[in-house]
Structures are given as C-alpha cells and as structure tokens.
Amino acid sequence: MGMASLSVVTTSTAQRINELKAHQQDYEFYPTTQAQLQAVIDDMNGILDTHEFAKLKSPLRVLDIGAGDGRVLLALKDALVKRQELNLAIDLLAIEKASVHNRSYSDVGISLLGTDLYETNLISKSADIAFTSPAFSDFSTWMARVITQLDFKLLYAILPARWKDDSLLKVSLEQRGIVEAKVVLQSSFVDADRQARGSVDVVRFAFNNFEDEYKRFVEPQLQKKWSDRFKPSIGQSATCPLSAFIENELGIKQTYSETTEKFREHVEKKRIKCALGMGDKGDGTAQELKVCNDVLTELIENYERDLSKTLHEYRKIGEICPRLLQECGVEAKTLTANLKAKLSGYRNVYWELLFENLDVLTRQITKNHRQSYLNTLKNSELDFTKTNAVYVIDFAVKESNRLAEIGLIEVFKDLTSKESISRFYKSNTRVFNDEWRHNSTDAHAEKYVLDYRFVYEGYINFSSDKSKPGLVKHAQSFCNDLCVAFTLLGYGTLSYSQPLNTLQKGEPLVIYGTDPMGNRLELLQMRCYINGKRHIKFNQSVMLRLNAVVSQLLRWCRDKSEFEQETGLSIDEADWLTRNRLGISCNEILN
C-alpha cells in the first residue's frame, strides 16, 4: 500500500518549531518520518488481514498522544478508509499540549481529549488504535502512564532503543498483562525533517499474540477456503485499566454481587450548584453565572475536590479486609463500574455547568442550530481542567461564530417572498417571475434586498385550542430567531412589548433594543393573524444594516461603495457592519 497523503500538513517543520518557540511552548517536537509511519500502517494492515475489531457499534477510535500537527492521525485514517471491508466511521482523537498545534484540529476533524498528558485522566479514555512518540528524556514515565491507564487494543510507540531495558516499562507491561511488544521497524531521525541522533524502535504493544493466533485459527481456515467466516478479535484479551487499578491499589478481587445504586448526574448537578451558590431563582430559571477566570477556577477547584474525595473513599475501601468485603458481596466488577461512572459523570456535570453559562454564545445561534451545537460541546471527552476549558471555549466561539453567520443568512432567506423584496441588484441578469419559489433553478441565487415592511406567510400563529393562548411554539421560535439576528447585528438589551404566550391575534408585538451607542430603539413591529400571516414593519436603519451584512456574507458585494452602487441605498459608515465584526472572541468570555 502506498504512503498515505500528508498534503493537509502545509506548515514546514522548521516553521512550526519557530512558531512553538515564539509562543514559548514545548518545541521538543520530532515529526514522525514517512518510513516510521509507513511501518505502522503496514503492520496495522497486516493485522487487519487476519484479525478484526469485533462488535464495534460506534466509530473506530484512533488516538495520538502528543499528536503534534496531526499528520499521523490523518495518515492512519487515510489508510483505514482504504480498507473497504471495515465499513466504519472513524473518530480521530488527540492529546496535545501546544496550542500552536491543537488550535487547528477542529478544522481537520480531530477531537481533543486532553492537553497535558499528566493532567489527563487516562483511565476514563479509550482507543482502538493508539499512537505516541514521547520525548526521549521522558519516555519511561510517559509510557508507564499510557500503558497502565489507557484502555486500548493496539498501541504503537516510537521509543529510544534502550526501552527494552527500562525497569519501569517492564513493570507496567507486566501489570497490564501486555502479551506482545514487537519492534516493527528499527529507525532513526538522522535523515528526518528535524534531525536527531540515536536509534529508535517503532514498537507495537498488544494483548494478542498475532502470529500464534494466525497459525492456530486463520491458517487452517485458509486451507479450507472459508477464512471469511472467522477472524480472531483484536484486543479480545485486553485488561481493563480501571479494574487493574482497583485490584492492585485496593486489593479487591472479583466476587459475585451487584448494586443498583448508580451515579445520577442530575442529583450531583443540583448538589454542586447549591455548593457553588448557583441555585435557581424563584421563577425556576437558573441564576446567571458569568463565565470568567474566577468562575472557571472555582468550578475546577470543586471538580478536583470531588475527584480527590471519590478516590480517597475508594482507597479507604481498600483498607478493609478483602475477605470481609467478599462476605458482604462487594466485588471488583461493581467497584470498577461505579468508579468509572463517577469519573465520567463528574466530568459531564462540570462541563454542562460551564456550557449552561455560555449564554453569550448560545444567544447568537438560531433554533435550528442550537441543540446540535450544545450536543457537540457536551459530548466532549476532555477532562475538566483550566487548559482544556480555554481550548473548548475557543472551539465553541469559532463554532458559534460559524453557525451565527449561517443562521443570519437563514433568517434573511426565510423572510424572503416576492412581496418582501424591495429591489434587485443591478448585476442581476435572470428574469424574476411570480412562481420563482417553485422553480427548479435556485431563486436564492438572485441578489436582492428586503423592504422594511411586508407581509410574511407563516404556517400557523395561534392554536385552535383556547386553553393554549398566545403564539404557538413555531411562531415563538420565529420571533426568537429575529432577536438572534438583531443581536448579531449589534443591538443589545432586547425585549418584547409583551410575553409571546399572551399575544392575541392582531395585537402589535414590538421588539425593542439598544443600538451600539446605547440609544433605545423600536427594532420591529409585527401583527400576527389567525390565517398565519404576519404583518412586519422593521426599523428602516435596522433593515438597511441587515441587508448590508447579509450581502457581504453571501458575497454579493465586497465593500460599502459597491453595496450602495448596486442597491441605490445609502448607508452610514457607523451602520456598515463588516463581516469580521459579527462574531465574538474568546477574550470576551474569559475576562
């Protein structure tokens, strides 16, 4: 198989080293060579020819610990995708401390599991295939941590040749029950992008003895021509690092009991909110918690106290006579499951508490995108640390800004009807006919501006059920999305003239807000009727700003003068809101 493409890595090694130095970040960065990476890919493919990852219901997880610029992950994914028989989605995961590297991961589909290896709770992490190339000076401690704590099936590592004689590594391999540590390539960095002296080995660590299993299971089937019926499972005898911790640290072995007392996230969340003074208001809405360095510090300190207390309690269990625990029906399996649930449960709870207070981000996202955005954030497997929180918030800001632009365009296009369009751009060449909404051509490709007053054809405004007064949920979402658009356009302190759930047909609904100068404005007035029609009147300066911003987002115009020339509308410099002023920055949240 040919070498996987690394074309996505555009920065040279020398440039990346200089960038790391400039940011005062760890620059002991020796990119994996093509020969080393090819050895890993060839070995991995050889194993997949005879073995398989059995019972994979979720995507195949590929993790690089110390991932650098991500080239190894991308190359491994490229090689795995070429194996069509796998037919699996692939999750690329990374642990990387340097922001020079990890800030670009989300752009290439890599999820960050942690920044600093020694701050990352590896016991709660898992990977089907893991890779690491530790610094030579720290390889012993680094590998001991990875081997004893990470739940993996295959682990590849680039290690100095002296690894075979390292006592800490030997103890770790024995403790974890690693069956095989095989050198798949003897190599060096002498001719690499960044040169270094000394010999290195590319080593595969596994719980299978692949050659023996091939002779015992696969080869006989090849002779009988039914090899497609059975392949041994990769990692089928893998030990659980958490179970090993409980057995080795606590001295508790397997017995035969089961408990139904599980970790309940909602209960723990309520307890933590009370402890941090984040209780509910009398009206049932959560008190606002400003996301800043002080709050992050408080959340992180409380998280660390909860973890420390939990581990202390489990260590106390280890001080009890194992025979007494067995008599009481306490078993290692139960302790393992409960501790694992607590470790992941606390992580989820604290991330959720942080996400709940990112309202500065969520209020600039329309309803269509808000839930998927929050789910993306909540599914993070990062440990709750200050460094990881800054990374996640930075990611959340980028994602929020991206969705904000999409949402603003969607609001603009949703308001589009023949009656609502004031004029066409002079550069338009297509004919605009009465039935354009139903044409096969893309009518939205036409360039136009919206009038400040028009009638919107809604599906429904009010329920026929008299016990449910006010606007229906769909109509309320329409109003809320308009508020999202106003927020993105720079208007603040938004409010309705009356609650949406009490509005009657034909009554005026006004949305108020303040402009960037602090002046209170009537942004929009709307009357909703029983037939689904919504009579809308925008503040003319607000509509002008909306037209100008969306024209830039859709690349209909490049600058203020072109917008004025094309539309015949004149816009003040203060109201010319450029695209790069739409979003927010991480510094606006962390202050």
Side-chain angles (χ1 to χ4, degrees):
M1 182 177 291
M3 183 61 198
S5 172
L6 302 180
S7 59
V8 293
V9 183
T10 57
T11 306
S12 72
T13 299
Q15 288 175 315
R16 189 54 60 91
I17 297 300
N18 290 334
E19 193 175 358
L20 288 166
K21 289 181 179 179
H23 287 79
Q24 297 182 332
Q25 295 178 353
D26 182 12
Y27 55 86
E28 194 174 348
F29 167 58
Y30 291 88
T32 303
T33 68
Q34 291 194 2
Q36 292 163 352
L37 185 49
Q38 190 63 54
V40 171
I41 291 173
D42 289 344
D43 185 76
M44 178 182 71
N45 278 320
I47 291 172
L48 290 172
D49 286 340
T50 61
H51 290 66
E52 65 181 355
F53 290 104
K55 300 179 180 179
L56 275 178
K57 297 180 180 179
S58 56
L60 188 74
R61 296 167 63 86
V62 183
L63 168 66
D64 190 346
I65 305 168
D69 55 20
R71 69 179 66 191
V72 171
L73 285 171
L74 295 168
L76 291 178
K77 179 180 180 179
D78 187 49
L80 288 166
V81 167
K82 290 178 180 177
R83 299 194 66 96
Q84 297 179 357
E85 79 277 6
L86 292 179
N87 193 28
L88 287 170
I90 299 170
D91 281 349
L92 300 183
L93 313 169
I95 296 174
E96 173 55 52
K97 188 174 184 179
S99 61
V100 167
H101 294 312
N102 64 39
R103 68 189 178 195
S104 63
Y105 285 173
S106 59
D107 297 332
V108 291
I110 298 174
S111 300
L112 196 69
L113 289 189
T115 47
D116 190 327
L117 171 70
Y118 295 108
E119 291 181 359
T120 301
N121 182 1
L122 283 183
I123 285 181
S124 64
K125 306 293 187 288
S126 65
D128 297 296
I129 301 172
F131 176 89
T132 188
S133 180
F136 294 174
S137 59
D138 191 34
F139 86 91
S140 180
T141 307
W142 180 289
M143 290 302 299
R145 183 176 180 87
V146 172
I147 288 171
T148 58
Q149 296 186 18
L150 178 67
D151 186 3
F152 66 88
K153 293 183 175 69
L154 280 178
L155 170 63
Y156 291 94
I158 298 179
L159 304 174
R162 63 181 184 275
W163 71 272
K164 298 174 184 176
D165 300 319
D166 186 81
S167 58
L168 181 58
L169 192 52
K170 287 180 180 179
V171 171
S172 302
L173 293 173
E174 182 178 352
Q175 180 179 331
R176 188 64 193 278
I178 298 292
V179 172
E180 189 174 65
K182 180 178 179 180
V183 176
V184 299
L185 179 71
Q186 293 180 326
S187 180
S188 72
F189 289 96
V190 173
D191 298 321
D193 290 344
R194 189 181 186 192
Q195 297 180 350
R197 297 164 60 184
S199 299
V200 297
D201 291 340
V202 180
V203 189
R204 178 231 296 155
F205 298 97
F207 298 92
N208 300 71
N209 186 321
F210 292 106
E211 292 183 3
D212 178 66
E213 290 173 358
Y214 174 83
K215 292 178 180 178
R216 289 194 294 121
F217 300 112
V218 181
E219 192 173 35
Q221 294 183 73
L222 291 174
Q223 296 172 356
K224 297 178 182 179
K225 298 182 180 180
W226 58 304
S227 59
D228 59 328
R229 297 190 184 182
F230 172 76
K231 285 185 177 181
S233 297
I234 299 171
Q236 62 184 351
S237 302
T239 59
C240 172
L242 191 54
S243 297
F245 166 80
I246 288 176
E247 183 171 331
N248 295 326
E249 296 291 324
L250 306 185
I252 300 175
K253 303 201 181 274
Q254 180 81 24
T255 57
Y256 303 95
S257 70
E258 186 173 353
T259 178
T260 57
E261 188 61 31
K262 306 295 183 184
F263 182 90
R264 292 179 172 85
E265 290 189 10
H266 70 281
V267 174
E268 292 299 319
K269 182 178 175 182
K270 185 176 181 180
R271 174 187 66 80
I272 295 165
K273 290 176 73 171
C274 289
L276 296 178
M278 298 165 59
D280 291 343
K281 297 179 181 178
D283 61 1
T285 58
Q287 293 179 1
E288 182 177 352
L289 178 68
K290 189 174 181 182
V291 179
C292 62
N293 281 318
D294 290 342
V295 170
L296 271 180
T297 299
E298 188 174 4
L299 283 171
I300 289 164
E301 287 177 352
N302 209 72
Y303 170 74
E304 291 175 347
R305 281 196 296 270
D306 278 337
L307 285 193
S308 178
K309 180 182 177 183
T310 298
L311 292 174
H312 176 73
E313 290 171 344
Y314 273 73
R315 287 193 176 95
K316 284 291 185 182
I317 295 175
E319 297 175 5
I320 302 174
C321 173
R323 180 171 295 180
L324 177 60
L325 288 173
Q326 291 177 3
E327 289 176 3
C328 296
V330 178
E331 62 172 355
K333 183 175 69 174
T334 300
L335 290 172
T336 300
N338 288 351
L339 181 55
K340 187 173 184 179
K342 284 191 174 183
L343 292 176
S344 61
Y346 280 130
R347 181 188 67 211
N348 293 341
V349 166
Y350 278 92
W351 278 123
E352 189 167 344
L353 287 173
L354 178 62
F355 299 151
E356 282 183 358
N357 295 282
L358 292 178
D359 62 317
V360 67
L361 299 178
T362 56
R363 66 171 176 245
Q364 70 171 19
I365 303 175
T366 57
K367 180 178 181 294
N368 284 344
H369 300 291
R370 189 175 295 118
Q371 193 56 52
S372 62
Y373 166 78
L374 290 175
N375 288 340
T376 298
L377 295 181
K378 289 180 181 180
N379 289 334
S380 169
E381 294 187 40
L382 286 167
D383 293 316
F384 194 71
T385 66
K386 178 65 174 290
T387 307
N388 291 347
V390 172
Y391 171 85
V392 167
I393 290 174
D394 183 62
F395 165 79
V397 165
K398 288 198 300 183
E399 185 69 4
S400 175
N401 290 340
R402 183 183 70 83
L403 292 175
E405 291 188 1
I406 296 172
L408 189 59
I409 292 171
E410 288 178 349
V411 169
F412 180 85
K413 289 187 174 181
D414 184 47
L415 294 173
T416 299
S417 67
K418 180 183 176 182
E419 292 76 16
S420 67
I421 294 177
S422 172
R423 58 175 62 83
F424 301 107
Y425 277 59
K426 295 177 182 178
S427 58
N428 282 0
T429 57
R430 294 185 184 181
V431 175
F432 192 93
N433 63 57
D434 290 347
E435 302 299 324
W436 69 271
R437 271 189 179 271
H438 308 288
N439 288 349
S440 59
T441 57
D442 182 9
H444 278 171
E446 294 288 348
K447 301 177 182 179
Y448 54 84
V449 291
L450 295 176
D451 198 358
Y452 76 96
R453 61 188 306 166
F454 53 87
V455 176
Y456 177 89
E457 296 281 351
Y459 172 67
I460 186 173
N461 289 325
F462 301 97
S463 172
S464 58
D465 186 349
K466 294 183 178 180
S467 66
K468 298 178 180 179
L471 292 177
V472 297
K473 287 186 177 180
H474 183 270
Q476 291 186 30
S477 295
F478 174 84
C479 297
N480 292 333
D481 283 351
L482 286 174
C483 288
V484 169
F486 292 145
T487 298
L488 291 169
L489 293 174
Y491 300 100
T493 322
L494 302 178
S495 62
Y496 293 113
S497 58
Q498 62 177 299
L500 300 181
N501 58 7
T502 64
L503 187 72
Q504 299 297 314
K505 60 179 180 294
E507 277 189 305
L509 175 70
V510 180
I511 300 178
Y512 297 100
T514 55
D515 65 15
M517 303 300 294
N519 301 312
R520 189 72 171 166
L521 301 175
E522 183 178 298
L523 304 178
L524 172 146
Q525 184 179 125
M526 178 170 61
R527 295 177 187 268
C528 299
Y529 296 94
I530 198 72
N531 59 2
K533 293 183 182 294
R534 299 165 194 167
H535 291 231
I536 301 174
K537 179 182 177 181
F538 277 82
N539 180 301
Q540 292 189 50
S541 64
V542 174
M543 178 53 78
L544 182 58
R545 180 178 279 208
L546 174 61
N547 281 320
V549 171
V550 172
S551 295
Q552 294 173 78
L553 294 179
L554 292 173
R555 294 179 173 81
W556 288 350
C557 66
R558 291 167 293 184
D559 52 37
K560 177 175 173 290
S561 62
E562 185 176 352
F563 174 77
E564 291 178 335
Q565 180 185 358
E566 285 278 1
T567 64
L569 300 172
S570 178
I571 184 168
D572 295 335
E573 195 67 43
D575 285 331
W576 177 254
L577 187 66
T578 56
R579 179 179 183 178
N580 59 10
R581 288 166 56 199
L582 261 185
I584 60 176
S585 69
C586 186
N587 291 334
E588 292 178 61
I589 300 175
L590 293 168
N591 46 47

